[in-house]
């Protein structure tokens, strides 16, 4: 049995995917017989009544002033064989607190840091944002042991880490919630009734937020091009956040705006239905840390069109359909949109045997990313680090 302390993001930051990941580690290690305690900042300054913008700074006080003091006190009562686990490299400012103890840092993506360093021209960062990312970088660079969720993330880690890395392994994410291939027709009927939109003949789906790398604008552009080229009246459903102002404007200008639907606050169960009822998932991300929707869709029996770039093609393997990353040069956008439209049409025109083969191949690929497989691999690494003298 190992003694594990799991550092997680505070609940008041409003993260969505990170709590799922942390809970997967927490519950998985407990089920394997290990003793796990969670250390996370509590809302003290943050809960004081003030404006929303100032609350963020009060939250920083809780995270980077009060919490480190609490950790130092707790460390006095922590045995030498305790393994300190950071659920996210963004928790880097706390890593120096245990740099001389047994520790491991889970790495997801370095998109924010790369943006702050000017490596992502599509996503300029404010001055304070740059300072914050420098603070995080200096922190996780004190760490020696790392687990990355993809080969691409591991590559970025080694490029951005400022110190020496002793151990660096890749453990692909496991699905943090179950997904199944549900009956297509009943899934469509359920969503059609719930949102009062016509979906019984199928739909193209995207899921994600408004972050630049999710490329929701590109989803609309490919869809419009496909409608113009192939004249097939199939709706587009975008699941996730409320659309940004820019996305709303594109939507309003689209000649197919009545067939483009934004859906928010969809439960996990209905997300599974959405994948199962879709003709395909259109997921042309510019970048990802892992790309959860790719494997969620595959586990749900939904063909995937995504970007031919790591880590998307790491996760999609031979089961996905690929298009190139949207080019930075606007002169090449039309060709890119037409390539995307052509790929949609290819998926729509699959014969019944080809559809069956695609779904079977997708399901087989999804089984490489089960929760059990992930947790077993993580446990092995934890034990290796815990045995280091």
């Amino acid at each position: 049995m190992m003694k594990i302390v799991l550092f997680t993001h505070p609940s008041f930051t409003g993260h969505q995917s990170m709590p799922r990941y942390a809970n997967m580690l927490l519950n998985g290690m407990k089920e394997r017989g290990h003793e796990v305690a969670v250390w996370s900042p509590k809302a003290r300054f943050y809960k004081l009544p003030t404006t929303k913008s100032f609350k963020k700074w009060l939250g920083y006080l809780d995270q980077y002033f009060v919490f480190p003091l609490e950790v130092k006190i707790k460390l006095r009562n922590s045995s030498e064989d305790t393994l300190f686990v950071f659920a996210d490299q963004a928790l880097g400012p706390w890593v120096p607190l245990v740099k001389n103890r047994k520790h491991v840092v889970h790495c997801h993506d370095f998109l924010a840091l790369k943006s702050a360093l000017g490596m992502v021209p599509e996503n300029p960062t404010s001055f304070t944002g740059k300072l914050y990312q420098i603070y995080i970088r200096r922190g996780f660079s004190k760490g020696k042991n790392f687990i990355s969720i993809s080969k691409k993330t591991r590559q970025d880690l080694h490029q951005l880490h400022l110190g020496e890395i002793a151990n660096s392994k890749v453990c692909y994410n496991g699905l943090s919630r179950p997904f199944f291939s549900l009956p297509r027709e009943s899934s469509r009927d359920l969503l059609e009734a719930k949102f009062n939109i016509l979906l019984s003949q199928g739909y193209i789906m995207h899921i994600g937020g408004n972050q630049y790398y999710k490329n929701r604008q590109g989803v609309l552009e490919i869809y419009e091009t496909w409608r113009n080229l192939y004249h097939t009246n199939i709706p587009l459903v975008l699941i996730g956040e409320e659309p940004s102002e820019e996305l709303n404007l594109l939507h309003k200008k689209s000649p197919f705006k009545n067939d483009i639907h934004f859906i928010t606050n969809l439960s996990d169960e209905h997300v599974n239905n959405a994948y199962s009822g879709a003709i395909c998932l259109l997921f042309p991300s510019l970048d990802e840390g892992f790309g959860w929707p790719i494997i969620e869709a595959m586990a749900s029996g939904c063909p995937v069109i995504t970007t031919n770039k790591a880590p998307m093609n790491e996760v999609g393997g031979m089961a996905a359909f690929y298009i190139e990353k949207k080019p930075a040069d606007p002169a090449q956008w039309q060709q890119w949109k037409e390539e995307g439209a052509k790929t949609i049409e290819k998926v729509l025109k699959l014969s019944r045997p080809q559809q069956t083969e695609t779904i079977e191949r997708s399901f087989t690929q999804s089984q490489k990313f089960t929760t059990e497989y992930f947790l077993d691999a993580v446990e092995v690494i934890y034990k290796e680090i815990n045995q280091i003298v």
Side-chain angles (χ1 to χ4, degrees), residues 70 73 78 91 102 122 128 139 153 180 182 186 196 240 252-253 265 281 299 313 316 326 341:
E70 293 176 335
I73 294 170
S78 298
L91 306 177
K102 295 173 182 180
E122 302 98 330
T128 54
T153 296
F180 309 96
L182 302 171
S186 60
N196 195 29
K252 289 176 182 177
K253 288 182 177 179
N265 300 317
L281 172 73
N313 51 16
K326 184 178 180 180

Side-chain angles (χ1 to χ4, degrees), residues 32-93:
R32 284 159 175 74
H34 304 297
E35 181 183 316
V36 188
V38 176
W39 290 5
S40 182
K42 295 181 175 59
R44 291 185 171 87
F45 287 102
Y46 184 82
K47 65 183 180 183
L48 296 175
T50 185
T51 62
K52 184 177 180 180
S53 59
F54 192 60
K55 261 189 176 296
K56 178 180 75 172
W57 296 100
L58 293 178
Y60 287 160
L61 278 177
D62 286 327
Q63 294 178 73
Y64 306 124
F65 179 71
V66 178
F67 183 59
L69 295 176
E70 293 176 335
V71 170
K72 289 176 181 177
I73 294 170
K74 288 181 177 181
L75 286 174
R76 296 173 187 168
N77 298 317
S78 298
S79 60
E80 288 300 317
D81 61 346
T82 301
L83 177 66
F84 296 92
V85 176
F86 295 85
D88 182 9
Q89 87 280 350
L91 306 177

Side-chain angles (χ1 to χ4, degrees), residues 193-251:
K194 184 174 179 61
F195 297 105
N196 195 29
I197 51 180
L198 188 61
L199 300 175
S200 57
Q201 298 306 306
Y203 50 91
I204 296 163
M205 172 182 163
H206 177 267
I207 187 167
N210 290 321
Q211 302 95 322
Y212 77 95
Y213 59 89
K214 293 297 184 184
N215 195 21
R216 289 179 114 189
Q217 177 176 336
V219 173
L220 291 188
E221 292 171 341
I222 290 175
Y223 176 74
E224 261 193 36
T225 304
W226 172 71
R227 289 290 299 267
N228 282 321
L229 289 176
Y230 297 100
H231 312 291
T232 305
N233 186 16
I234 292 175
L236 170 67
V237 174
L238 296 101
I239 297 169
E241 295 179 51
E242 292 283 355
S244 63
E245 289 184 19
E246 181 183 29
L247 210 59
N248 261 328
L249 186 60
L250 282 173
H251 180 209

Side-chain angles (χ1 to χ4, degrees), residues 49-329:
T50 185
T51 62
K52 184 177 180 180
S53 59
F54 192 60
K55 261 189 176 296
K56 178 180 75 172
W57 296 100
L58 293 178
Y60 287 160
L61 278 177
D62 286 327
Q63 294 178 73
Y64 306 124
F65 179 71
V66 178
F67 183 59
L69 295 176
E70 293 176 335
V71 170
K72 289 176 181 177
I73 294 170
K74 288 181 177 181
L75 286 174
R76 296 173 187 168
N77 298 317
S78 298
S79 60
E80 288 300 317
D81 61 346
T82 301
L83 177 66
F84 296 92
V85 176
F86 295 85
D88 182 9
Q89 87 280 350
L91 306 177
W94 306 331
V95 173
L97 297 168
V98 296
K99 65 180 182 180
N100 296 320
R101 303 284 294 268
K102 295 173 182 180
H103 66 270
V104 60
V105 182
H106 286 264
C107 299
H108 299 269
D109 70 68
F110 291 91
L111 302 178
L113 176 54
K114 290 166 72 175
S115 296
L117 295 174
M119 299 167 68
V120 185
E122 302 98 330
N123 188 45
T125 305
S126 68
F127 177 71
T128 54
K130 290 178 181 178
L131 292 178
Y132 185 47
Q133 289 302 317
I134 290 171
Y135 182 45
I136 289 173
R137 185 187 191 188
R138 286 176 178 168
F140 73 68
S141 291
K142 298 297 182 183
K144 300 295 184 184
N145 309 301
F146 295 88
I147 296 174
S148 299
I149 61 170
S150 68
K151 292 178 183 177
K152 179 62 168 62
T153 296
R154 183 179 183 272
Q155 177 185 329
D156 288 342
L157 166 67
H158 285 252
Q159 179 184 4
L160 297 167
H161 193 283
L162 298 170
E164 293 184 5
I165 297 174
N167 297 286
S168 179
K169 302 288 179 64
V170 173
C171 283
Y172 288 112
N173 273 338
L175 286 171
S176 57
R177 45 185 167 147
F179 284 87
F180 309 96
S181 182
L182 302 171
R184 174 171 283 190
E185 288 73 20
S186 60
S187 291
R188 291 174 180 174
D189 291 343
L190 185 152
L191 294 175
E192 183 172 297
K194 184 174 179 61
F195 297 105
N196 195 29
I197 51 180
L198 188 61
L199 300 175
S200 57
Q201 298 306 306
Y203 50 91
I204 296 163
M205 172 182 163
H206 177 267
I207 187 167
N210 290 321
Q211 302 95 322
Y212 77 95
Y213 59 89
K214 293 297 184 184
N215 195 21
R216 289 179 114 189
Q217 177 176 336
V219 173
L220 291 188
E221 292 171 341
I222 290 175
Y223 176 74
E224 261 193 36
T225 304
W226 172 71
R227 289 290 299 267
N228 282 321
L229 289 176
Y230 297 100
H231 312 291
T232 305
N233 186 16
I234 292 175
L236 170 67
V237 174
L238 296 101
I239 297 169
E241 295 179 51
E242 292 283 355
S244 63
E245 289 184 19
E246 181 183 29
L247 210 59
N248 261 328
L249 186 60
L250 282 173
H251 180 209
K252 289 176 182 177
K253 288 182 177 179
S254 174
F256 311 108
K257 61 184 178 184
N258 292 334
D259 293 328
I260 299 172
H261 308 283
F262 293 94
I263 294 177
T264 60
N265 300 317
L266 200 61
S267 68
D268 289 352
E269 177 187 353
H270 289 150
V271 168
N272 198 166
N273 287 118
Y275 283 130
S276 296
I279 292 172
C280 66
L281 172 73
L282 179 57
F283 195 71
S285 287
L286 304 178
D287 213 337
E288 290 284 336
F290 177 73
W292 289 100
I294 296 170
I295 212 66
E296 292 172 354
M298 287 183 171
S300 305
C302 176
V304 174
I305 300 172
T306 189
T307 309
N308 192 16
K309 176 182 184 294
M312 286 77 79
N313 51 16
E314 285 185 63
V315 177
M318 298 296 291
F321 297 85
Y322 294 105
I323 60 175
E324 293 307 309
K325 177 185 175 182
K326 184 178 180 180
D329 183 1

Side-chain angles (χ1 to χ4, degrees), residues 348-359:
L348 261 66
K349 290 292 191 274
L350 292 175
S351 65
R352 185 59 63 86
Q354 288 173 326
Q355 289 177 18
T356 301
E357 181 186 352
T358 297
I359 291 171

